[in-house]
Amino acid sequence: MTKKKAIATPGRTKEILEKYQFFFKKSLGQNFIIDANILVKMLETANISKQVNTIEIGPGIGALTEQLAIHSNKVLAFEIDQRLIPILKDTLQDYSNVEIIHQDILKADLPNIIKDKFANDQRPVKVIANLPYYITTPILMELLIARLPIESITVMIQKEVAERMAAHQSTKEYGSLSIAIQYYTDASVPMIVPPTVFRPQPRVDSAVLHLVMRDHPPVHVEDEEFFFSLVQASFMQRRKTLRNNLQRHFKGSLDKTEIESVFTETNIDGTRRAESLSIEEFALLANTFQIKIG
Ligand code: SAM
């Protein structure tokens, strides 16, 4: 038997697409990877081994799924596009450790599916994917907020979004998304990826974002919803001061003197801009404002 080439090669991908007369749906963010080296590097970043179970979002024709089948214990992959289900059955027929679930990841009951599919299995679960770019943020926020029993998330996403998610204080990329990601994870961007490794090629550069889940948030906040809405409001108009953005946010519930008293109590200058605040300062502001509101 001749050894099959990896799915993530230009030749094999072309062959599969032609065999099934598959056409890409832009609306589903379909950009398939044709370079197995990139996938191997992603697996190295995620530290994938046979001691790990994996969840993939959007297997496409199985480029990454195949590598996960070879290198991890069990793979659970969620694919929304019905046309890809029979293709995956064919391309991944040699691997008995892969389960494809035909479902929109945003509608999947992940806590129960994880419990059910990885029952009595002590191996950690890691999420790894080349995400559909049109829903990167909702997917990641969904995974984080649900506080799933997963160890890490390693995803290919649009470079600009990856940089915003992993941004540090006092940079132009730093914003409410960076704070949210930092609250749940330790984030890094280990790899920038050019459009040439995809079919079709996206118009933007991509990057691998690696998120390691935290056991506990780095700060204590009394009410997460209140905290995140304060962070978002602080960045509402980036060029404006905290005072300005927060006066607008608390209009009708706190007057200007009460708002100033919070700046005094927390020793955070209201003339600062949100991008200069650390997550600790945002937590302090949110907890203090919450007491004022009662
Ligand atoms: N993993 C493949 C690869 O790297 O070549 C394909 C990645 S492609 C960027 C994104 C995949 O996600 C497509 O197969 C697409 O059909 C699928 N997809 C899009 N929206 C989805 C959703 N809401 N739930 C699950 N899969 C989705």
Side-chain angles (χ1 to χ4, degrees), residues 134-159:
Y134 74 107
I135 43 167
T136 299
T137 309
I139 291 179
L140 289 177
M141 290 321 293
E142 200 56 46
L143 293 176
L144 299 182
I145 290 164
R147 292 211 157 89
L148 300 169
I150 54 177
E151 212 173 80
S152 64
I153 303 174
T154 308
V155 283
M156 179 85 75
I157 62 175
Q158 206 177 314
K159 174 175 165 257

Side-chain angles (χ1 to χ4, degrees), residues 7-8 13 22 25 27-34 39 42 56-65 77-84 88 101 103-107 128-135 139 156 197-199:
I7 298 169
T13 298
F22 184 85
K25 272 196 188 161
S27 61
L28 291 180
Q30 294 179 334
N31 299 94
F32 297 167
I33 292 192
I34 52 154
L39 299 177
M42 272 182 90
E56 187 190 357
I57 298 157
I61 57 170
L64 174 59
T65 331
F78 293 85
E79 176 55 63
I80 198 172
D81 189 345
Q82 166 65 49
R83 300 172 307 154
L84 290 166
L88 286 162
I101 300 183
Q103 194 168 30
D104 178 344
I105 189 67
L106 293 177
K107 299 203 175 122
I128 177 158
N130 169 20
L131 286 182
Y133 293 178
Y134 74 107
I135 43 167
I139 291 179
M156 179 85 75
V197 305
F198 300 90
R199 284 289 178 280

Side-chain angles (χ1 to χ4, degrees), residues 56-127:
E56 187 190 357
I57 298 157
I61 57 170
L64 174 59
T65 331
E66 176 183 50
Q67 299 302 323
L68 293 172
I70 296 169
H71 299 285
S72 78
N73 179 57
K74 184 174 173 191
V75 192
L76 203 58
F78 293 85
E79 176 55 63
I80 198 172
D81 189 345
Q82 166 65 49
R83 300 172 307 154
L84 290 166
I85 307 302
I87 303 182
L88 286 162
K89 212 171 185 170
D90 175 12
T91 59
L92 300 172
Q93 60 181 292
D94 294 341
Y95 308 101
S96 58
N97 59 342
V98 177
E99 186 173 346
I100 305 290
I101 300 183
H102 173 219
Q103 194 168 30
D104 178 344
I105 189 67
L106 293 177
K107 299 203 175 122
D109 177 4
L110 280 173
N112 277 319
I113 295 176
I114 292 177
K115 220 185 267 170
D116 181 35
K117 302 291 179 189
F118 300 125
N120 303 321
D121 189 333
Q122 297 305 311
R123 293 178 184 83
V125 179
K126 299 190 176 191
V127 173

Side-chain angles (χ1 to χ4, degrees), residues 12-47:
R12 185 93 196 281
T13 298
K14 188 164 177 265
E15 194 183 294
I16 296 166
L17 297 179
E18 278 174 2
K19 178 173 175 191
Y20 289 94
Q21 302 200 333
F22 184 85
F23 58 90
F24 296 104
K25 272 196 188 161
K26 216 174 159 191
S27 61
L28 291 180
Q30 294 179 334
N31 299 94
F32 297 167
I33 292 192
I34 52 154
D35 184 339
N37 292 326
I38 299 283
L39 299 177
V40 169
K41 283 192 196 149
M42 272 182 90
L43 263 64
E44 281 169 9
T45 299
N47 207 1

